[in-house]
Amino acid sequence: MIPVTKPFLPPIEEYHNFLKGIWSREWITNMGPLASKLEMDLKEYLCLNHVLFVTNGTIALQMAIKALDINGEIITTPFSFVATTSSIVWEGCKPVFVDIDPETLNIDPNKIIASITKDTKAILATHVYGNPCDVLAIEEIAKQYNLKVIYDGAHSFGVKINGRSIFEYGDISICSLHATKLYHSTEGGLVFTKDPNLLKKLSLIRNFGITGFDSFGELGINGKNSEFHAAMGLVNLKYIDQIIARRLEIINRYSEKLENFKAVNPKWHKDSENNGAYLPYIISSENLLLKIKKALDANEIFTRRYFYPSLSSSLPYLGSVEMTISDDLSKRMLCLPLYFDLTNEEVDWICRLILREQNN
Ligand SMILES: *Cc1c(COP(=O)(O)O)cnc(C)c1O
């Protein structure tokens, strides 16, 4: 069986060593030493001054919306994981979908202005498959209309744009460290902001708003993460460069073998490089996609239709709106298996099956 993804698991002894430390300190959660060390090491790895390690990517999004005091409409993308939209609704705001760019699958900045109303307070955009949004165009619109910007960078661990971390963009950026993501801590999330006051507020929000033994400074939530998750993050960080390098090698092999595949990859941002988080293909038709998926399924090779269906037409708590490009592309996107220990032979086999199915 070949799954679409598999979490990277480090040598168990290395994780075990961290567990011994946890046992000897008897400190297992609430911003312990491993959680602090993970934040320090991530700052260094990502070349950033500020990061908060939180429960998961979804809580990170909710904390971001809360910390920016957003009430009203938030312009967002219909082509993402459900948590992007559900966090907006969860925070009592109204998501307003703006269609995507057909080549990058990211929100199309040219379509944002037409959707701005007097109630628009923010833009929440996803760097889909890790590929940076047009951050400069979005920044300009945000400035002009006085909007906050939040980036859902759940897929963008390690991505840079013009040599700077993608997480420096927006008022707040977040990342997910869930087991299915490129870099993980089992469950986990990161929040980034360059604004020191906002960072302070986010760190209060993370811990119930507690400012002292008997004082509260903010409306907060439990956004903390544990020493066990931090330990997994710390061990995996040692391997992340190796993980990314191997995944990029696998992607190259797929590209060579699939030269004649009637499909293309999304166009990556010109000032940035792929982090190897996903291997998405835009297939020429949904029929071909379904045919290929069925053939792979029959061989116990599992692909995923990320992201199908479009969020603009599938959430029971929201009405359905037509988004021509997202509706079309969400039907034609297929992510192929990609994980650290996928072998070249397996890649070749998957590619042979795809081409055989396409050509008969
Ligand atoms: C995974 C994901 C999230 C949620 O992250 P969790 O850590 O699983 O809560 C949010 N947005 C996108 C785009 C994701 O892929």
Side-chain angles (χ1 to χ4, degrees), residues 21-301:
I22 295 174
W23 254 255
S24 70
R25 286 186 296 274
E26 301 183 328
W27 187 352
I28 65 175
T29 189
N30 280 11
M31 281 92 65
L34 295 182
S36 303
K37 177 159 171 50
L38 181 62
E39 289 181 342
M40 300 271 284
D41 289 3
L42 285 171
K43 278 187 235 177
E44 192 180 317
Y45 183 81
L46 298 168
C47 302
L48 287 168
N49 294 323
H50 304 296
V51 58
L52 295 176
F53 177 46
V54 301
T55 320
N56 56 52
T58 307
I59 283 284
L61 283 170
Q62 291 169 204
M63 286 171 55
I65 296 169
K66 188 71 82 191
L68 291 166
D69 276 324
I70 300 169
N71 288 295
E73 295 178 2
I74 300 182
I75 286 178
T76 191
T77 175
F79 190 78
S80 185
F81 181 59
V82 65
T84 314
T85 305
S86 65
S87 304
I88 295 173
V89 179
W90 199 267
E91 290 303 316
C93 297
K94 182 183 168 199
V96 174
F97 293 114
V98 164
D99 213 349
I100 55 172
D101 177 295
E103 290 190 318
T104 65
L105 296 109
N106 285 330
I107 196 166
D108 185 345
N110 296 313
K111 293 182 177 155
I112 290 178
I113 290 179
S115 297
I116 295 175
T117 70
K118 61 172 186 0
D119 295 322
T120 309
K121 299 290 164 55
I123 298 167
L124 170 41
T126 302
H127 304 302
V128 178
Y129 309 124
N131 182 21
C133 292
D134 188 345
V135 286
L136 298 181
I138 291 172
E139 197 168 289
E140 198 149 302
I141 295 167
K143 243 186 228 157
Q144 194 182 341
Y145 291 88
N146 196 23
L147 305 177
K148 301 290 186 195
V149 178
I150 300 170
Y151 284 114
D152 181 341
H155 309 160
S156 332
F157 188 84
V159 171
K160 291 186 174 172
I161 181 165
N162 282 322
R164 279 172 64 192
S165 170
I166 189 65
F167 299 133
E168 286 191 39
Y169 290 85
D171 293 280
I172 298 178
S173 278
I174 72 98
C175 186
S176 165
L177 306 188
H178 182 257
T180 56
K181 305 303 203 264
L182 173 65
Y183 165 70
H184 78 88
S185 63
T186 313
E187 291 273 0
L190 301 172
V191 185
F192 308 90
T193 178
K194 287 189 289 188
D195 177 339
N197 291 324
L198 202 49
L199 187 80
K200 210 166 140 200
K201 187 168 177 186
L202 283 161
S203 109
L204 279 181
I205 288 176
R206 175 173 68 174
N207 190 30
F208 310 99
I210 292 172
T211 46
F213 276 109
D214 28 43
S215 60
F216 304 95
E218 289 287 345
L219 171 63
I221 195 163
N222 184 355
K224 295 178 276 94
N225 210 329
S226 81
E227 292 292 278
F228 296 89
H229 295 85
M232 184 64 95
L234 283 166
V235 183
N236 284 346
L237 195 57
K238 283 177 48 190
Y239 291 93
I240 190 63
D241 287 336
Q242 243 171 285
I243 294 170
I244 292 175
R246 174 59 191 153
R247 292 173 77 114
L248 294 176
E249 219 173 75
I250 295 171
I251 290 175
N252 281 335
R253 192 169 184 97
Y254 269 111
S255 300
E256 280 168 24
K257 304 275 164 184
L258 291 178
E259 218 189 314
N260 296 319
F261 185 21
K262 290 176 189 144
V264 292
N265 302 115
K267 187 172 149 205
W268 202 269
H269 193 293
K270 66 176 178 24
D271 301 318
S272 172
E273 277 168 40
N274 195 342
N275 62 346
Y278 295 90
L279 182 51
Y281 277 92
I282 310 173
I283 299 183
S284 56
S285 73
E286 186 180 23
N287 272 343
L288 180 57
L289 179 149
L290 293 172
K291 212 169 146 232
I292 289 170
K293 187 168 190 304
K294 199 170 150 201
L296 294 175
D297 280 351
N299 285 280
E300 298 210 307
I301 298 169

